[in-house]
Amino acid sequence: MKPSRTAAAVAAAALAAVSVAACSDDAPDDGRTHITVTIDAGLEQAAIDAFNARIEQFEEAHPDIAVETQEYTWTAGTFTAQLAGGTLPDVFVVPFTDGRGLIERGQIADIGDLTAALPYREQYNPNIAAAGEDAEGDLWAIPIAAYGQGLHYNRTLFEAAGLDPDAPPTTWDEIQAAAKTITEETGEAGYAVMTNDNTGGWILTTVVNALGGRTEADGKATIDTPAMREALTRLQGMRWDDRSMGDDFLYDWATINQAFASGRIGMYVSGGGNYGNLFTQNALDPDDYGLTVLPLAGPDAGVLGGGTLAAVSPNAEPEEQAAAVEWIDFYYMEKLTDQAAAVADAEVKAETGQPVGAPELPVFDKAAYDEQQTWIAEFVNVPVDQMAPYTTQVFDQPLLTEPVHATQEVYAVLDTVVQTVLTEEGADIDALLAQAQADAQAAIDAAA
């Protein structure tokens, strides 16, 4: 898949139809359209330099657009506040689970006419495109990345515990046994889970899916189930019997990444494409890193998948929306669809010491992904052999989408369940699940 075009052609019609203006009253009156774009908070300087180099390339190709950066990292709580307060950048990212709700409530810009002109619009995997589409199939938010959950593990801790880092666990029993061994031999947490800011529900749902269960089916909550009970009972045993989970039970996505990169966690579950964040934001030592697939148990088991959407602020003026789509196409999408752009992006990252070649699931199809990987092969600088237990198997795992009704609200309900199991010895799992079932159904009904 090698569409022939420059990024400037993507929204040319829209840009021609509007006057070029500054993006706010206090923006420089230099005749350019000014947009703010998201940059991850907490990046190392080399990553910031790489990002700024890409901005320079974009502005050189688009002299009528000026790009300014705003630090932003999505979390459920802060995003809601930023959305309500109108403080989001013009271009921001959200998880797949937020797309439909934001569209239905009109909380992001309708860029459907602009995205319809993208040369790869019809090449998206339909299941992935659906996360950013409205009821009529117009693409309001652009899928820029997809993932399947994986088991991240610390190879150094494995070795210190007498475990083989080239043979990671392949069953949940083996994960539990390895966690216990790591704690006993190293004093570090053998296994840890996120529990806070809706991440506890996200990871619990991941494990339940891997055990053949679901947290939602046909618009109904399916919380009080054998698979959920099995997942929580194992977690309870690892916490209170094995004592293999350390002493921090309020991790969210950012803090568990920090702890893992610091060598304080042997294993944890998160998106399979997380290496870049661990390296650029948390100074992960590549020699420590290992990645494998989640064990799947039962005929209905699958790996939870999701992804990231790039959206545009509803406060953006038409010319800013067009410029924003130009940026999204240039920064996020060209490297997936155009060989020259893929090489330019990889070269900048490699020159500034940023990771190139970390695994992701394709937003189009595997053939397109495989081709893109050949384009950047000479620049790959991540420990691909240490990720092979994941990359050689994940494409063969059944991929399950996240629950679609009141997703974040249900995750928040499950946060409380996970926190209780980990902080109250002897917690009544049956009672917790009965209450969570009721609360989750109420959240789904309210959303409907």
Side-chain angles (χ1 to χ4, degrees):
M1 179 180 59
K2 299 179 181 178
S4 175
R5 57 101 173 88
T6 64
V10 175
L15 283 167
V18 296
S19 61
V20 176
C23 66
S24 65
D25 292 339
D26 59 356
D29 187 13
D30 59 5
R32 296 190 295 173
T33 298
H34 288 250
I35 58 171
T36 54
V37 303
T38 179
I39 183 172
D40 289 339
L43 290 178
E44 301 289 334
Q45 187 59 49
I48 296 173
D49 292 343
F51 192 87
N52 288 335
R54 294 293 282 156
I55 289 177
E56 290 176 6
Q57 292 172 348
F58 176 80
E59 290 183 338
E60 183 177 348
H62 302 78
D64 53 351
I65 301 173
V67 176
E68 297 152 12
T69 61
Q70 179 178 326
E71 283 196 350
Y72 162 91
T73 299
W74 184 93
T75 65
T78 57
F79 175 74
T80 300
Q82 288 175 300
L83 184 65
T87 60
L88 291 167
D90 294 318
V91 177
F92 56 92
V93 295
V94 296
F96 278 10
T97 52
D98 279 23
R100 281 295 182 90
L102 292 170
I103 293 167
E104 291 169 358
R105 296 187 295 270
Q107 291 176 310
I108 59 176
D110 178 0
I111 57 173
D113 289 344
L114 297 170
T115 59
L118 294 169
Y120 43 81
R121 170 65 183 95
E122 299 305 318
Q123 297 174 21
Y124 270 108
N125 178 322
N127 291 331
I128 286 176
E133 292 175 337
D134 66 9
E136 285 71 46
D138 293 329
L139 193 69
W140 286 44
I142 300 176
I144 60 173
Y147 67 84
Q149 300 281 57
L151 181 71
H152 306 262
Y153 65 98
N154 186 302
R155 292 174 58 89
T156 302
L157 288 179
F158 264 59
E159 289 179 343
L163 302 171
D164 184 355
D166 294 324
T170 59
T171 68
W172 290 101
D173 284 344
E174 289 179 4
I175 289 175
Q176 183 170 355
K180 188 172 186 291
T181 300
I182 289 169
T183 296
E184 290 174 347
E185 298 298 325
T186 72
E188 303 293 354
Y191 181 78
V193 295
M194 302 177 223
T195 66
N196 212 14
D197 205 14
N198 300 0
T199 59
W202 175 47
I203 298 304
L204 182 57
T205 297
T206 297
V207 176
V208 167
N209 286 174
L211 295 173
R214 304 290 186 271
T215 56
E216 176 192 295
D218 299 323
K220 300 295 183 182
T222 53
I223 304 296
D224 193 356
T225 64
M228 182 69 74
R229 193 167 283 101
E230 179 182 351
L232 291 171
T233 299
R234 183 180 297 277
L235 204 60
Q236 191 175 55
M238 294 174 75
R239 164 67 178 97
W240 297 105
D241 298 332
D242 300 347
R243 305 281 177 170
S244 62
M245 297 188 65
D247 55 10
D248 192 334
F249 306 110
L250 287 176
Y251 283 126
D252 60 13
W253 185 80
T255 55
I256 203 168
N257 285 343
Q258 292 166 2
F260 178 79
S262 299
R264 303 200 307 272
I265 295 173
M267 296 173 286
Y268 78 116
V269 173
S270 188
N274 207 25
Y275 179 86
N277 300 97
L278 291 166
F279 183 85
T280 62
Q281 293 178 272
N282 300 283
L284 172 75
D285 182 344
D287 290 340
D288 290 344
Y289 187 70
L291 176 66
T292 188
V293 291
L294 298 182
L296 301 185
D300 295 323
V303 59
L304 182 71
T308 303
L309 300 167
V312 179
S313 167
N315 299 324
E317 296 296 329
E319 66 272 15
E320 296 157 12
Q321 294 179 22
V325 172
E326 292 265 20
W327 168 256
I328 294 169
D329 177 61
F330 171 86
Y331 183 69
Y332 296 108
M333 299 307 300
E334 271 200 335
K335 61 188 177 186
L336 304 180
T337 61
D338 179 83
Q339 183 171 0
V343 170
D345 179 77
E347 190 170 20
V348 166
K349 288 179 178 176
E351 288 175 351
T352 53
Q354 301 310 294
V356 178
E360 292 183 349
L361 294 183
V363 296
F364 301 115
D365 57 34
K366 190 173 183 297
Y369 173 82
D370 289 342
E371 182 178 40
Q372 190 263 355
Q373 292 297 296
T374 66
W375 297 339
I376 63 171
E378 68 177 289
F379 301 104
V380 170
N381 57 9
V382 302
V384 290
D385 289 346
Q386 295 163 211
M387 304 175 186
Y390 178 85
T391 55
T392 59
Q393 300 179 79
V394 69
F395 289 109
D396 296 325
Q397 290 191 314
L399 188 66
L400 303 178
T401 60
E402 293 188 71
V404 297
H405 301 284
T407 310
Q408 297 298 337
E409 293 83 355
V410 173
Y411 284 172
V413 168
L414 295 176
D415 271 5
T416 301
V417 174
V418 177
Q419 290 170 12
T420 302
V421 168
L422 295 179
T423 58
E424 295 183 13
E425 188 169 7
D428 186 339
I429 291 176
D430 289 339
L432 288 170
L433 289 182
Q435 185 62 55
Q437 172 72 29
D439 292 344
Q441 189 60 56
I444 292 172
D445 291 344

